Amino acid sequence: MKKVLSTVALAVSAFVSTSAVAANEVNVYSYRQPYLIEPMLKDFEKNTGIKVNVIFADKGLVDRVKQEGELSPADVLLTVDISRVMEIVNAGLAQKVDSKVLEKNIPAQFRDSNDQWFGLTKRARVIYTSKDRVGKLPAGFDYLDLAKPEYKGKVCVRSGKNSYNVSLFAAMIEHYGEEKTKKFLEGLKANLAQKPQGGDRDQVKAIKEGICDYSLGNSYYYGKMLDDDKQKAWAESAIINFPQGQYGTHFNISAVAIAKHSPNKANAVKLVEYLSGDKAQQLYAELNHEYPVKEGVSPSKLVKGWGEYSADAIKLEDIAKNYEKALKLVDEVKFDDVK
């Protein structure tokens, strides 16, 4: 059912076959690990008879599709983070999709106004705290509070240039403007317990080891750590908190686009519509510890147990337009330059 590649250096001929544009197939290029989406794709195959071929790319997906040009077999492009899906759109590699199903299933906040990309799952950018040294944060605690002087030496984050952090900073620019966001970044940098490094889970590990008391991270990593015997103790040492300041909790997405030169567009649209439906959304929620993007579909029991939240209502498009500004601010404050 799938083809998994660790790089994108293989030639198009390695994937294209005489059946690649057959009416009963659809070709998926994915930044998402195959095991995370395989259950949904198998169910889609079972119910439609359409075979799904998957290529996994850990990086360089956009460059690959560019190089393949009009001969690209790619039908569906699966990605994570608003910045990556906008990279696809801005490179001219996506096409408009008119679908009443997608319009109904996916709230306007989480899809492109030009119908070139669609969110499939949501992930919150949360604040992790030490269970023993801090406990649950008080109501109203916001991202901005992490820059207050009283938290000096108590905060851990991954690189300020990581897309998950940049998306949060881009949302802050939309809400507060560049000057206030820059001051926040300066304050946050001053409060770091160590040089930005590793991934979101590494920050929770640092909480477990007593290096810091607070960290930023995506919500689904909490579930992933609990699923991993080697990392379970990290998660159990921390509490997940949803910032509830003026604008609520920042959410990002995993997303999908139909490739510009899709040879199997009809099948591609069917697949994307399926992924936005109740069954696939529920599978996503159970397997990946993410929040369904479709309203009315409940998160998993585990995720629901993390608590209630008020989500930021900002459109993902508005975050995307501030992405380069946010990156510039990260550079200006030399955020990652911590000794």
Side-chain angles (χ1 to χ4, degrees):
M1 176 188 131
K2 64 185 180 183
K3 298 187 178 184
V4 181
L5 306 180
S6 59
T7 69
V8 294
L10 297 182
V12 180
S13 59
F15 183 63
V16 180
S17 69
T18 57
S19 61
V21 293
N24 66 335
E25 292 199 0
V26 62
N27 304 317
V28 177
Y29 282 19
S30 176
Y31 271 131
R32 305 218 69 174
Q33 293 278 0
Y35 74 90
L36 295 176
I37 57 175
E38 186 172 3
M40 286 77 82
L41 301 185
K42 282 186 174 180
D43 187 68
F44 175 77
E45 287 183 334
K46 179 181 177 181
N47 287 282
T48 65
I50 299 171
K51 182 183 178 184
V52 182
N53 304 305
V54 181
I55 280 184
F56 163 65
D58 57 355
K59 58 183 178 179
L61 184 149
V62 169
D63 288 338
R64 179 185 180 122
V65 179
K66 278 183 179 178
Q67 291 170 6
E68 292 173 348
E70 294 182 7
L71 296 178
S72 177
D75 294 305
V76 175
L77 306 174
L78 280 175
T79 186
V80 292
D81 189 77
I82 182 60
S83 66
R84 281 192 163 181
V85 74
M86 288 309 301
E87 182 184 12
I88 291 170
V89 171
N90 292 337
L93 301 177
Q95 63 172 290
K96 180 180 174 66
V97 177
D98 293 314
S99 168
K100 295 296 183 183
V101 173
L102 295 176
E103 186 177 326
K104 177 182 177 181
N105 288 349
I106 303 174
Q109 180 185 4
F110 301 111
R111 55 182 163 84
D112 181 28
S113 59
N114 294 317
D115 298 318
Q116 292 192 78
W117 61 263
F118 303 89
L120 291 178
T121 60
K122 301 183 296 183
R123 60 275 297 274
R125 196 73 179 150
V126 298
I127 298 174
Y128 290 97
T129 54
S130 168
K131 184 181 295 183
D132 296 331
R133 299 186 299 276
V134 177
K136 193 74 175 174
L137 292 176
F141 195 97
D142 192 27
Y143 301 103
L144 294 173
D145 292 320
L146 292 176
K148 291 180 177 180
E150 56 260 44
Y151 300 109
K152 186 174 180 63
K154 295 184 178 181
V155 184
C156 288
V157 297
R158 69 195 300 173
S159 170
K161 293 184 178 181
N162 175 265
S163 60
Y164 300 147
N165 281 334
V166 177
S167 293
L168 171 62
F169 305 153
M172 296 178 78
I173 289 174
E174 185 67 16
H175 290 315
Y176 305 116
E178 292 182 59
E179 183 177 349
K180 188 172 182 177
T181 302
K182 184 177 181 179
K183 288 182 178 179
F184 163 76
L185 289 173
E186 291 171 340
L188 182 61
K189 176 186 175 182
N191 289 345
L192 295 181
Q194 62 180 3
K195 183 179 178 65
Q197 57 192 271
D200 284 354
R201 282 185 266 196
D202 293 302
Q203 316 315 313
V204 180
K205 180 184 179 184
I207 289 177
K208 171 70 168 61
E209 295 173 346
I211 296 172
C212 52
D213 293 338
Y214 304 79
S215 74
L216 283 172
N218 281 353
S219 54
Y220 61 88
Y221 284 120
Y222 197 65
K224 290 182 179 294
M225 287 185 287
L226 291 173
D227 288 342
D228 189 325
D229 289 340
K230 295 181 179 179
Q231 299 178 1
K232 188 175 182 180
W234 307 352
E236 292 177 338
S237 74
I239 294 175
I240 192 169
N241 300 269
F242 297 92
Q244 296 299 287
Q246 182 179 359
Y247 296 103
T249 300
H250 169 71
F251 274 80
N252 210 317
I253 54 170
S254 69
V256 65
I258 303 296
K260 181 179 180 180
H261 301 295
S262 168
N264 304 294
K265 182 179 178 180
N267 287 346
V269 173
K270 288 180 182 178
L271 175 58
V272 176
E273 289 178 342
Y274 164 81
L275 293 174
S276 74
D278 288 5
K279 187 172 185 180
Q281 288 283 296
Q282 196 66 62
L283 284 170
Y284 259 129
E286 294 291 341
L287 293 169
N288 301 335
H289 309 300
E290 294 180 272
Y291 291 88
V293 74
K294 185 182 180 185
E295 295 177 355
V297 180
S298 298
S300 68
K301 183 178 180 181
L302 173 66
V303 173
K304 197 170 184 179
W306 296 344
E308 299 296 323
Y309 59 84
S310 175
D312 190 349
I314 189 173
K315 286 180 66 68
L316 274 292
E317 284 182 313
D318 292 332
I319 293 176
K321 73 181 183 182
N322 290 318
Y323 197 85
E324 293 302 321
K325 294 178 184 177
L327 271 174
K328 183 180 179 182
L329 290 184
V330 171
D331 282 333
E332 286 181 2
V333 305
K334 298 180 180 179
F335 188 85
D336 290 348
D337 187 14
V338 176
K339 297 181 179 179

